[in-house]
Amino acid sequence: MTTMKPAMRPLPRAMLIDMDDTILSAYARPEIAWNTITAEFAEELAPLPPQLVASTVLAFAKNFWANADASWRMKLAEARHLTVKGGFTALAAAGHRALPDDLAIRLADRFTAYREEEMFVFPGAHDAIDRLKALGIKLALVTNGAADTQRAKVERFELAHRFHHIQIEGEHGFGKPEERAYLHAMEALGVTAKDTWMIGDNLEWEVVTPQRLGIYAIWIDVHGDGLPEGTIVKPDRIIRSLTELVPD
């Protein structure tokens, strides 16, 4: 006896799509990046093991971003200076060698440059977006972050012409998870929540608030890590690539 696949949900009139770690490999897996950068600075960090510095800075950064005001998204480089300095302070408090602030700044700036160097469009993302647009779906790119940083990515990775509406937090003065970020994007596309899907990698920004507004919320789990343990968030659908949204 053969089992029937569940019917796919009909495509919507519109999609709101996140950029970082949805279309672009941008900020995911920070532990890999920090370990790479601290290894580059191993001589200056000695006798501290680079891995210890990386894990301490990462722990401080995670705590910082978990509690940071949204305004820090506009000042990423400055925020990284603070988090590396904070990591160095934590190391000194634990009895390790005190590391100078100038080293913290250079380490943070190298991390920022490395992230830019390593950024790329996920395989198939451009084609998926183009095919969805060709099907008549209204598309909005909805991304948080500073105007100059995010606009540079839009241009660098040839995204502007692929969307009917580009919405960058730093250009509009509001961002996810503020309700008006989604409402404004839908208004720009001329659609309502019932006609709209939201796709992205952040559970709060791309699932919780959109669902509250009546938007169908799709969580993209590029690395296949699964939902975080203990979360009560339930995406309407989970995908690993935008290519999964394109009908066969």
Side-chain angles (χ1 to χ4, degrees), residues 12-144:
R13 288 184 59 206
M15 292 185 187
L16 315 182
I17 305 177
D18 173 51
M19 181 167 66
D20 295 322
D21 299 306
T22 297
I23 299 170
L24 310 178
S25 177
Y27 303 124
R29 302 288 170 94
E31 67 280 358
I32 296 173
W34 279 119
N35 276 300
T36 299
I37 300 311
T38 53
E40 291 181 10
F41 285 78
E43 191 172 322
E44 290 188 75
L45 295 171
L48 275 71
Q51 297 90 341
L52 173 63
V53 177
S55 62
T56 306
V57 167
L58 181 60
F60 190 92
K62 281 184 175 178
N63 184 65
F64 174 85
W65 285 113
N67 300 285
D69 184 85
S71 63
W72 281 108
R73 294 199 294 263
M74 306 297 115
K75 304 178 287 185
L76 265 187
E78 188 180 337
R80 287 184 181 136
H81 291 170
L82 282 178
T83 56
V84 178
K85 286 179 182 177
F88 281 10
T89 298
L91 286 165
H96 297 289
R97 172 197 163 199
L99 296 166
D101 282 352
D102 77 289
L103 177 57
I105 291 169
R106 286 187 290 114
L107 197 73
D109 288 346
R110 174 62 188 126
F111 180 87
T112 297
Y114 176 82
R115 283 301 220 184
E116 290 292 324
E117 292 163 9
E118 295 296 306
M119 210 169 283
F120 63 88
V121 177
F122 285 124
H126 273 167
D127 184 55
I129 294 165
D130 292 344
R131 290 173 66 191
L132 291 167
K133 188 178 183 183
L135 288 169
I137 298 169
K138 295 289 187 182
L139 301 176
L141 181 71
V142 183
T143 181
N144 282 357

Side-chain angles (χ1 to χ4, degrees), residues 27-28 70 83 156 229 232:
Y27 303 124
T83 56
R156 175 184 170 188
E229 188 176 348
I232 59 170

Side-chain angles (χ1 to χ4, degrees), residues 125-209:
H126 273 167
D127 184 55
I129 294 165
D130 292 344
R131 290 173 66 191
L132 291 167
K133 188 178 183 183
L135 288 169
I137 298 169
K138 295 289 187 182
L139 301 176
L141 181 71
V142 183
T143 181
N144 282 357
D148 55 351
T149 303
Q150 299 304 80
R151 181 57 67 173
K153 292 179 198 171
V154 168
E155 300 304 326
R156 175 184 170 188
F157 295 108
E158 302 178 342
L159 297 176
H161 72 278
R162 293 185 151 91
F163 290 86
H164 300 93
H165 175 63
I166 302 284
Q167 188 170 304
I168 298 171
E169 181 182 22
E171 292 180 353
H172 285 73
F174 51 83
K176 301 171 288 186
E178 293 177 74
E179 290 188 357
R180 60 176 169 161
Y182 315 90
L183 297 173
H184 184 272
M186 289 189 291
E187 183 181 2
L189 297 181
V191 296
T192 59
K194 66 181 177 61
D195 302 315
T196 305
W197 291 3
M198 177 80 227
I199 303 101
D201 69 301
N202 186 298
L203 287 172
E204 182 184 1
W205 300 352
E206 273 86 49
V207 178
V208 175
T209 306

